Amino acid sequence: MIDIIQIIIESPFLQRALLAAILIAIIAAASGTFLVFRGLSFMASGVAHAALGGTALGIFLQDSGLVPWFDPILGALLFSVLVAAFTGYAGESGITQKMEVAVGVSFALSMSFAVFLMYYIPPYKVPLIWGYLIGDILLLNDLDIFMLGSTTLLLAVITLMFNKEFVYVSVDMEGSTAHGMNARAYHYLMLIVSALAIALATKAVGAILVYAIMVAPAAASNELVKSVRGVIFAVFLIALVAELVGIAASFVVFVSPSAIAGILAALSYILALQIKRVRDRVDVDIDDPDLSPDDLKETWNHAVTHEHEDGHEH
Amino acid sequence: MTATATPLIEAHDLAVRYPNGALALHHVSFEIKSPSFMAIIGPNGSGKSTLVKTALGLIKPSRGTIKVMGYDSQKKSGKIRKQVRYVPQRDRIDLTVPMKVKDIVLMGRLLKKLPPRFATSKDIAAAKDALQQVNMEDLWERPFPELSGGQRQRVLVARALASEGSILVLDEPLSGTDVESQNLIVNALRRYHKENDVSIIMITHDLNPIHTLVEDVLLLKNTVIGIGEPCSIMDPELIKKVYGPTAKVVEHSGHRYCMTHDSGLDRHD
Ligand SMILES: Nc1ncnc2c1ncn2[C@@H]1O[C@H](COP(=O)(O)OP(=O)(O)OP(=O)(O)O)[C@@H](O)[C@H]1O
Ligand SMILES: [Mg+2]
């Protein structure tokens, strides 16, 4: 234990990585959860790739001298907000399928745009664009952490303030509007703030990890946990553990921390599905009196009350 | 009610066209006095939901106007929504969010507040009372997505009952419910309509369960086909026009029965 603390104190890059892991777990808990509630898990990936197109645009504008002050990160943020706004516009009526299509279209558009611009960017700068997809949590600098931290803070504050509104928009947009809530505004707010956070997280740790961490833990928790708050908390834990194990593993064996974290996050979803299946099977057995003879019933019921502490009643 | 009182709903030459070109409503003009227990009937796709959503300002009319309690649906939708509690068609409720029954019922009240929308003990009491009215108080902590269709429908009605506002709008609250659920819901609405000064606008395919309650019926098929008391709407020609030649109104020993595929047998004295 002392050794670990010693190592952390002596290596700033590790401190930054741990901090980033926490920040990204918060982003996953705040955005990932609500995206999965809205059936929009695909948007995390769409935004990450749109950010790539934006980065390409930034590099092009800077390099060609057209707009020298245009930092590539501005392009990434701009594009991800555009995707969020476009997706929001398509889904104003609350229909998820339309939003999925909008995400798909903007995904394709921004990737095409990125590839288009690559022909006009000096070849030695092209890897910068691809670097955006891979990313490495162990290579963050202070500015990365600062930007990631401030967006996470913004996202966390907004989600704490408006989590009921975001839930209501996801559950029943029409009904919420009819009762006098400005559902449209919250709908856009949620998508845009999520997009900003996802874009910056992508810059920090890469699109692949963001996608895995943003979606899988939320989907896993949503299978098993039966309250909104519980899901948010479970997502934070799963995401954090996956990332920490990833970082730790990269010290022991030669392996990318993002890859391990991504694999663990994905496994959490598969595990959740499996647990859910086993649980449902037990429920069915119990419901049917023919399947458990009287003398066994007592034991069965006993076992079940222990297994279902979240308030299953039968 | 005097003729000068503000009508519950009035439409003038209303037309609604969806962006895909579908003309859902055209030449709709009518007036319903307030307070009322009003039913909107008509076959699938006849524009019932569209009419209600337009009245609440959720859809913009492409022509004409519709007013609720004198407020224009577009210019004064905020005023309308303050008074309205709305139960959407059940399939509009998303089941991926892990809401408990209590969360859904409280939603009706919290939506009328400003953020952060904390539930007070008064809100909780009102929510419990509403659930009791539809006989669901034991399911307070149950996950909403795990309920049966009929139970979910009852919870949604409870959400409206728990909320505040003088107009209850229900889009097919009886669809997919058994007789017991229907009776519970209808009795809750009956009590509510009587005890409070509340108007009820209900879309339904089946007038039977609410036959004795309804004061005004609006018969729609993309435009107003008939309007009036339940019995006058049960005119054989009118019903045939809307539901096709298989619909029958039969007279038997002094009672009038209406038979359609939708509503089954409906007795009209
Ligand atoms: N979002 C939409 N986009 C395009 N067309 C729509 C939309 N909603 C409804 N319509 C069309 O408008 C017409 C009226 O639909 P509406 O939902 O109002 O009917 P309804 O009377 O409520 O039917 P049901 O009994 O099935 O609920 C239909 O022809 C339908 O196809
Ligand atoms: Mg309808």
Side-chain angles (χ1 to χ4, degrees), chain A residues 157-195:
Chain A
V157 168
I158 287 182
T159 308
L160 279 179
M161 273 167 66
F162 300 123
N163 63 79
K164 283 208 180 76
E165 285 75 6
F166 292 171
V167 167
Y168 292 167
V169 167
S170 312
V171 173
D172 176 13
M173 188 144 168
E174 224 166 47
S176 303
T177 312
H179 280 86
M181 189 179 97
N182 191 348
R184 211 164 126 222
Y186 293 115
H187 165 73
Y188 279 108
L189 181 67
M190 183 193 119
L191 294 179
I192 288 175
V193 181
S194 290

Side-chain angles (χ1 to χ4, degrees), chain A residues 212-274:
Chain A
I213 291 286
M214 215 52 70
V215 175
S221 311
N222 205 23
E223 290 293 332
L224 296 180
V225 183
K226 306 227 157 114
S227 77
V228 173
R229 218 170 292 167
V231 171
I232 291 177
F233 190 63
V235 173
F236 176 76
L237 282 185
I238 298 177
L240 189 62
V241 167
E243 289 172 298
L244 293 184
V245 172
I247 293 173
S250 73
F251 278 82
V252 183
V253 279
F254 179 72
V255 66
S256 149
S258 301
I260 297 291
I263 291 169
L264 285 179
L267 284 180
S268 75
Y269 178 61
I270 296 169
L271 185 68
L273 284 184
Q274 213 51 41

Side-chain angles (χ1 to χ4, degrees), chain B residues 102 105-106 109 119-130 140 162:
Chain B
K102 61 176 175 186
V105 180
L106 281 171
R109 293 187 70 84
T120 62
S121 52
K122 195 179 154 208
D123 295 324
I124 291 172
K128 284 196 166 151
D129 182 60
W140 180 251

Side-chain angles (χ1 to χ4, degrees), chain B:
Chain B
M1 274 291 115
T2 52
T4 52
T6 321
L8 175 62
I9 303 197
E10 55 178 319
H12 292 289
D13 193 25
L14 183 75
V16 177
R17 189 185 285 282
Y18 279 102
N20 66 0
L23 186 61
L25 292 170
H26 61 90
H27 300 103
V28 174
S29 299
F30 67 91
E31 193 178 308
I32 304 276
K33 59 160 186 32
S34 168
S36 174
F37 193 128
M38 167 191 184
I40 303 177
I41 60 171
N44 289 134
S46 56
K48 306 180 295 294
S49 302
T50 305
L51 178 69
V52 161
K53 287 184 211 165
T54 312
L56 301 180
L58 300 173
I59 300 176
K60 200 170 178 252
S62 42
R63 211 172 113 180
T65 57
I66 182 163
K67 289 181 182 173
V68 178
M69 298 307 291
Y71 297 117
D72 185 271
S73 72
Q74 283 297 304
K75 289 179 209 127
K76 298 271 185 201
S77 62
K79 295 254 188 209
I80 297 175
R81 290 171 190 169
K82 271 218 175 72
Q83 300 189 37
V84 159
R85 333 166 189 187
Y86 174 60
V87 181
Q89 244 169 302
R90 190 180 65 224
D91 53 15
R92 302 305 300 250
I93 304 290
D94 191 292
L95 299 179
T96 35
V97 187
M99 298 284 273
K100 300 247 170 77
V101 166
K102 61 176 175 186
D103 298 323
I104 296 278
V105 180
L106 281 171
M107 192 176 163
R109 293 187 70 84
L110 301 188
L111 276 169
K112 298 276 181 195
K113 302 187 172 187
L114 291 174
R117 304 176 205 263
F118 287 127
T120 62
S121 52
K122 195 179 154 208
D123 295 324
I124 291 172
K128 284 196 166 151
D129 182 60
L131 272 176
Q132 199 151 18
Q133 294 195 46
V134 292
N135 204 7
M136 296 279 293
E137 69 273 25
D138 296 337
L139 304 184
W140 180 251
E141 287 277 355
R142 275 287 275 280
F144 181 75
E146 290 178 8
L147 300 182
S148 77
Q151 290 176 321
R152 260 183 265 143
Q153 195 69 64
R154 284 197 248 167
V155 172
L156 287 177
V157 171
R159 179 178 88 171
L161 295 180
S163 183
E164 276 167 5
S166 57
I167 306 169
L168 239 93
V169 181
L170 307 111
D171 196 339
E172 298 193 23
L174 303 180
S175 75
T177 53
D178 61 8
V179 179
E180 195 204 334
S181 285
Q182 280 185 12
N183 288 341
L184 277 166
I185 293 173
V186 170
N187 285 333
L189 292 177
R190 180 201 312 275
R191 233 174 301 136
Y192 220 76
H193 181 53
K194 265 202 200 124
E195 288 167 11
N196 307 282
D197 198 14
V198 172
S199 286
I200 296 179
I201 302 172
M202 178 163 155
I203 297 178
T204 182
H205 283 287
D206 187 359
L207 272 182
N208 285 318
I210 50 166
H211 176 226
T212 52
L213 279 172
V214 171
E215 295 155 34
D216 299 282
V217 178
L218 183 67
L219 181 54
L220 277 185
K221 190 167 183 181
N222 304 107
T223 186
V224 180
I225 303 289
I227 181 169
E229 298 175 336
C231 290
S232 68
I233 289 297
M234 286 304 136
D235 172 68
E237 285 310 307
L238 224 47
I239 293 296
K240 253 184 210 152
K241 203 162 147 191
V242 177
Y243 288 99
T246 53
K248 288 195 193 78
V249 175
V250 277
E251 291 210 36
H252 180 67
S253 58
H255 298 303
R256 197 188 263 174
Y257 296 87
C258 171
M259 285 165 68
T260 70
H261 288 311
D262 268 356
S263 71
L265 199 65
D266 189 11
R267 184 173 130 173
H268 296 273
D269 303 294

